[in-house]
Structures are given as structure tokens and as C-alpha cells.
Amino acid sequence: MKLHSDGSIKAIYSATQGKKQYRPLMSSKIPAGFPSPAQDYIEGKLDLNEYLIVHPASTFFVRVDGYSMQGAGIMPDDILIVDRALEATNNRIVIAIVDGELTVKRLKIKGKKYYLVPENDEFEPILIQEGMDFIIWGVVTYVIHKV
């Protein structure tokens, strides 16, 4: 796919299936602090691919470039996990193609009107109007970023 972006998307990568990589999963939830990583706390092993990816054939990773979604906790260089098999419903964060440009925004549906709404007051919502080339490319399911 040739990448044309409004500046909010830097790159797109497909999900690959390969060797499972399990990591220890702690059995207790951590409200504040961190328990000793003693073996008593290990619940089992977790493969993040199994946890984060429901539809491997239709899941992609998208690298973010821009600040239009910072209010939703999405920052530049974050990686979005995007599932193209999910239905885009009201209030979901989506990757959309608007007049040939890819963008990440929150989908708002009000009656028969569709809006792509940024999570930053410095950016304007996009009202989808008749005659515009508009496609929902996928639904964002998870955001990965460094803290």
C-alpha cells in the first residue's frame, strides 16, 4: 500500500505469525507498587500476539506521526494495533482514508453524519460530506508507547 498521510501516520506494518514468545504473567493485579517477582506470583505465561491480536490476517501495526490524538494517549512514534476485521462504530478510534490521505481520528456518528474528531483542540474535526472519498481502513484496538 502506498502511504499518503495527513501527517498523523508515519508507517504501516503487517502482523506476522511466527514462533510464540511467552513471557511470565503475574497472578496479582498491582494497584500501586510492584510485588516481588518471586515464583509464587507467576500465574502462567502470556504470548502478547494471542492477547493483542484477534484476527492475525487483518491486523496491522501503524506508527503514529503527529499530535492530533494526544488527548487519547496517542503520541508521535506510538504504535497502533489496527484490526481491519472489526466494525467501526461510534466513538471508536479508527484509521480512515479521506480523499486519498490516511489519518487516525475518533469516529463520531450523529444521526446520518460522520465526523473524524481529533483529540487535540489545535486540530479541527473533519465532517464527511457527500462527494468525499471516505473509507474506514481499520479500528484501533491497542496503543503501544514507551513511558
Side-chain angles (χ1 to χ4, degrees):
M1 168 185 230
K2 191 170 183 180
L3 179 66
H4 293 281
S5 173
D6 68 347
S8 64
I9 297 173
K10 193 174 196 176
I12 299 174
Y13 308 94
S14 63
T16 57
Q17 293 178 312
K19 182 180 174 190
K20 294 182 186 281
Q21 296 187 12
Y22 291 101
R23 300 293 178 250
L25 174 63
M26 305 305 279
S27 62
S28 60
K29 293 183 179 180
I30 303 168
F34 192 79
S36 167
Q39 192 66 25
D40 295 348
Y41 292 101
I42 303 295
E43 177 180 315
K45 298 216 179 217
L46 173 69
D47 178 5
L48 289 177
N49 289 313
E50 290 178 9
Y51 184 75
L52 298 174
I53 300 173
V54 177
H55 305 107
S58 62
T59 298
F60 293 82
F61 301 98
V62 175
R63 188 172 299 276
V64 175
D65 189 28
Y67 291 92
S68 70
M69 293 301 289
Q70 71 182 10
I74 299 173
M75 303 300 286
D77 285 327
D78 283 356
I79 296 172
L80 307 177
I81 299 177
V82 180
D83 191 333
R84 297 193 69 198
L86 296 178
E87 179 182 353
T89 56
N90 186 48
N91 217 33
R92 298 292 303 261
I93 296 175
V94 300
I95 304 297
I97 302 172
V98 181
D99 291 333
E101 297 288 323
L102 282 164
T103 189
V104 56
K105 300 285 182 280
R106 186 173 302 279
L107 177 65
K108 294 284 189 172
I109 303 169
K110 296 179 182 176
K112 293 184 179 185
K113 292 187 177 187
Y114 288 75
Y115 298 85
L116 294 174
V117 180
E119 296 281 337
N120 180 337
D121 291 339
E122 294 180 24
F123 297 83
E124 294 293 323
I126 301 167
L127 169 61
I128 304 305
Q129 298 180 26
E130 190 173 327
M132 293 176 87
D133 180 23
F134 172 64
I135 300 169
I136 299 290
W137 191 80
V139 175
V140 176
T141 56
Y142 292 96
V143 179
I144 301 170
H145 65 261
K146 294 181 183 178
V147 293

